[in-house]
Amino acid sequence: MADEHVERVSGMIGVDPTLDATEGDFLQFLATECKFHEEEKAVFMRGLDAFNGLLLVWQFFDSSGAHVDGSAIMVGPGIAISAYHVLEPHLSDLKDGKKYSVAIGVAKSGIQIWTVKKATPLPDLDLVILGLELSSPLPSDRSFCQAFITTRLPKIGECLWVCGFRSEISEVKPNDGVHEVRAKGNFYVSSGLVTNRYPNGRDRLMLPWPVLEVDCPSLGGMSGGPVFDRHGYLVGLLCSSFSAEDGRGPSYVSLLWPALHMEFEGGWPRSPHFDGALTLAGLANGICDIDNVNVVHAISVDGAKKVIYSPWE
């Protein structure tokens, strides 16, 4: 990676800063639209704060050091979503306590370090919902950004933007009794046109869940990164890509509507709103921002949950 495309960030892992909150303290969670210029086909963003804490770098730590294997996106207070295949190689060590993980966002006000307290893989999908807890100081304006999800099915020929973190170095170091995390790299954005839609899955083995095919490249470390439409709404996550001779990909995008009624644990700060099993659809219109959530609903078939989607463009 060229030096002009590299940024460095570091911060201390601490305890949840809301543990000593007092009556009258407030936090803001703001739905954010991410819009890009269509003429920018593939660019490294200027500054790690370009997404204002919305796009996360997902790091895993063990005795050998730190590893950045993917990206994630904030979709609610202490709630993020990423690709399951980013988590899968680390599952055993995480369960055995040999690894832990954090998700790092960089806002205009500084670094935001989120400890991953819970990761819920979603059945038969390359998606995982993360329950996060802030482990760095509160931003000065007490504000956090989260994506605006849309249930819309993008049209063939429509332009989408694939985003993620391209890592060069990540590490964790003890520092006066606490741990300091460091990351070196940059956010990368590439755009392309939707060339195919597979609402029932592309195939039975590699991509059996609802996906889009987009004629754009993606880089290692971008898996789980967000994909936005022209309105700046989140339409899906990067799940796979292939290298073609012309460098255009394609990239494959997991659609998010199958995840909206899947149960998970998460949410921050600690609140009765986040007790027990949650769904993104259940948190819509108040906590999570989801466009036209009513086109997705869940039914029970032979005791199993089935999610029904009515496509709209």
Side-chain angles (χ1 to χ4, degrees):
M1 186 184 300
D3 288 343
E4 64 267 25
H5 296 150
V6 172
E7 299 280 345
R8 297 167 177 81
V9 65
S10 65
M12 300 294 184
I13 300 177
V15 298
D16 181 352
T18 64
L19 293 178
D20 58 358
T22 60
E23 186 175 353
D25 286 348
F26 73 95
L27 299 172
Q28 296 185 90
F29 299 92
L30 307 174
T32 303
E33 300 169 359
C34 289
K35 296 183 179 181
F36 305 93
H37 299 293
E38 289 199 27
E39 61 270 17
E40 295 178 344
K41 298 301 182 183
V43 297
F44 286 96
M45 302 298 288
R46 293 182 179 273
L48 289 176
D49 62 355
F51 289 90
N52 202 18
L54 188 69
L55 204 164
L56 304 176
V57 181
W58 195 359
Q59 288 187 313
F60 297 85
F61 302 104
D62 58 22
S63 58
S64 66
H67 315 275
V68 174
D69 285 358
S71 305
I73 183 74
M74 295 294 293
V75 295
I79 303 168
I81 191 165
S82 184
Y84 172 65
H85 76 262
V86 175
L87 171 69
E88 189 175 21
H90 305 280
L91 269 176
S92 178
D93 285 344
L94 287 168
K95 291 178 179 178
D96 293 341
K98 297 178 181 178
K99 287 184 179 179
Y100 66 97
S101 72
V102 301
I104 301 173
V106 183
K108 304 298 183 184
S109 57
I111 190 171
Q112 296 173 355
I113 302 176
W114 300 90
T115 297
V116 179
K117 305 296 287 187
K118 185 73 175 181
T120 305
L122 304 186
D124 304 317
L125 301 171
D126 187 25
L127 296 172
V128 59
I129 299 179
L130 308 179
L132 308 176
E133 180 179 273
L134 189 65
S135 299
S136 58
L138 290 170
S140 57
D141 61 359
R142 305 270 176 131
S143 296
F144 300 87
C145 293
Q146 60 191 49
F148 198 121
I149 298 173
T150 182
T151 59
R152 188 177 66 85
L153 182 64
K155 299 177 181 179
I156 298 290
E158 181 176 336
C159 189
L160 299 179
W161 287 262
V162 179
C163 311
F165 184 74
R166 175 63 170 176
S167 174
E168 184 173 285
I169 293 176
S170 63
E171 58 186 357
V172 57
K173 292 185 175 182
N175 191 327
D176 292 332
V178 297
H179 286 91
E180 180 181 14
V181 294
R182 299 177 182 178
K184 181 179 177 183
N186 213 330
F187 290 121
Y188 181 77
V189 178
S190 62
S191 66
L193 303 182
V194 177
T195 50
N196 269 306
R197 306 188 299 185
Y198 302 100
N200 298 311
R202 195 198 69 161
D203 53 64
R204 293 184 178 182
L205 296 177
M206 290 189 62
L207 301 168
W209 50 83
V211 295
L212 303 174
E213 181 182 272
V214 183
D215 69 333
C216 72
S218 53
L219 306 177
M222 291 178 64
S223 290
V227 180
F228 298 100
D229 66 10
R230 66 186 182 278
H231 305 294
Y233 293 173
L234 178 67
V235 299
L237 301 184
L238 178 66
C239 64
S240 181
S241 63
F242 298 92
S243 297
E245 291 183 2
D246 60 2
R248 295 299 300 171
S251 294
Y252 289 91
V253 178
S254 292
L255 293 169
L256 297 183
W257 62 261
L260 298 185
H261 285 274
M262 297 297 180
E263 293 184 346
F264 69 95
E265 295 178 27
W268 174 90
R270 298 176 186 178
S271 162
H273 291 294
F274 302 131
D275 288 344
L278 308 171
T279 67
L280 293 175
L283 297 174
N285 302 319
I287 295 178
C288 295
D289 295 273
I290 305 175
D291 182 30
N292 209 0
V293 69
N294 292 327
V295 302
V296 185
H297 61 279
I299 61 173
S300 179
V301 178
D302 296 328
K305 180 182 290 187
K306 182 177 181 180
V307 179
I308 306 297
Y309 172 60
S310 300
W312 66 286
E313 298 179 341

